Amino acid sequence: MNIGNVIMTKRKELGLTQQVLADKLHVSFQAVSKWENGTSYPEIDLLPAIASILQTSSDTLLGYEYKTHGYYDERYKKEEFFWGLQPNETCFEIMKMKPPIKSLKVLDIGCGEGKDAVFFARNGYQVTAFDLSKDGIEKGKRLAEQCGVYVDFFQADLNDYRLVDKYDIIFSSGVFDYMKPDLRIDITEHLKEHTNDDGLNAIKVFVEKPFIEVDDKKKKAYRYSWKSGELFTYYYDWEISTMKEVIYDCNSGGVPHKHCIDIMIANKYNKEY
């Protein structure tokens, strides 16, 4: 679909008229009409605002086609939850450090089937979450609906998507090893810049160990190895309150195996302090 069709489809899904959308964007309804019938296009600096109002991403507006490798899509299509429904242990650590005694914005990067994002939402956080897998996103939306909460789920690629808003908490578990090595500095700096003062980044990344064999070649083909402690170096200028490495047994996919993961929680202090 071209951008006009995407705007029209998303607008109608949300029950918005052309006039309402135009008012929110401070443009005329004729401009919106022209976008939708393909006779003109919105200015590029309007795309983030349009995407935000239509609860989607700029990539989706532009018709970006996400190239998934299918490994998780196949598993997320099944009725049961591949990762279960138990929240990640780090979620509880985050709650202790940043309890939702006031409105706090959380971003879950690589949210999978949405269990952690929904957990945060159920506990009073304002949650945004994205994943490369469309099937995972749809499953997360259903879970949120079943639990009676709202999470702003959308599809995006960690390597391509760039934030517009700032967040109090940025959380990512086991997804950074899909980040292309030449983008690591740029992406982590971008996440740090889009974290509010006194906010935190909580990240888990798989690291390779010579004594841990990786049997799933298909899965490994889409990953880029990290070294022990590498993640921490990108946050040298923040206070790292949690920095540990864990080797654990895993049975995902029905095949017993081991993983090694580095866990980091880093705090961004207000520079005025």
Side-chain angles (χ1 to χ4, degrees), residues 11-195:
R11 175 179 63 77
K12 290 183 176 180
E13 286 178 356
L14 294 172
L16 302 177
T17 64
Q18 289 182 339
Q19 185 64 63
V20 169
L21 178 58
D23 290 344
K24 289 178 178 290
L25 293 169
H26 305 292
V27 300
S28 67
F29 81 89
Q30 290 94 338
V32 175
S33 177
K34 289 179 179 179
W35 299 342
E36 293 186 355
N37 63 33
T39 57
S40 69
Y41 300 97
E43 297 293 331
I44 193 167
D45 57 357
L46 276 178
L47 293 183
I50 297 172
S52 178
I53 294 168
L54 298 181
Q55 299 179 17
T56 187
S57 68
S58 297
D59 287 337
T60 299
L61 289 178
L62 295 171
Y64 179 84
E65 294 183 5
Y66 296 97
K67 297 179 181 179
T68 64
H69 51 71
Y71 180 85
Y72 291 117
D73 286 333
E74 296 173 4
R75 289 152 177 79
Y76 292 166
K77 288 180 185 295
K78 297 179 181 179
E79 185 176 349
E80 68 273 12
F81 280 74
F82 181 66
W83 302 111
L85 291 173
Q86 180 67 25
N88 193 298
E89 292 181 3
T90 304
C91 295
F92 296 102
E93 294 186 50
I94 292 171
M95 287 191 65
K96 291 178 182 178
M97 299 176 69
K98 290 288 182 184
I101 54 177
K102 63 178 181 178
S103 179
L104 294 175
K105 295 175 62 177
V106 176
L107 174 66
D108 185 352
I109 300 175
C111 61
E113 298 161 298
K115 65 180 180 67
D116 295 326
V118 171
F119 171 80
F120 281 122
R122 293 183 70 180
N123 282 281
Y125 295 90
Q126 182 182 342
V127 187
T128 299
F130 71 84
D131 195 273
L132 182 60
S133 171
K134 183 178 180 179
D135 294 295
I137 291 299
E138 293 304 317
K139 210 166 182 179
K141 289 180 179 179
R142 293 196 298 270
L143 178 62
E145 184 176 0
Q146 292 168 9
C147 294
V149 296
Y150 175 75
V151 174
D152 182 13
F153 283 110
F154 62 93
Q155 186 184 19
D157 187 331
L158 167 68
N159 292 290
D160 300 327
Y161 183 70
R162 296 297 176 266
L163 306 179
V164 175
D165 297 330
K166 284 191 172 184
Y167 297 86
D168 301 293
I169 299 164
I170 294 181
F171 169 74
S172 183
S173 180
V175 180
F176 268 37
D177 50 325
Y178 289 95
M179 185 190 298
K180 297 175 182 178
D182 59 340
L183 295 178
R184 287 176 185 172
I185 293 176
D186 289 343
I187 292 178
T188 52
E189 285 300 316
H190 179 73
L191 297 180
K192 290 161 68 177
E193 290 171 3
H194 284 78
T195 303

Side-chain angles (χ1 to χ4, degrees), residues 231-272:
L231 172 65
F232 311 137
T233 66
Y234 293 102
Y235 286 81
Y236 72 94
D237 52 343
W238 285 26
E239 181 197 37
I240 300 179
S241 58
T242 298
M243 181 172 59
K244 59 184 177 181
E245 188 165 273
V246 178
I247 296 175
Y248 66 95
D249 295 316
C250 182
N251 196 43
S252 64
V255 179
H257 55 282
K258 291 182 180 293
H259 287 299
C260 182
I261 195 165
D262 279 1
I263 303 169
M264 181 204 72
I265 300 179
N267 306 278
K268 180 179 183 179
Y269 279 110
N270 189 324
K271 294 181 179 179
E272 296 180 357

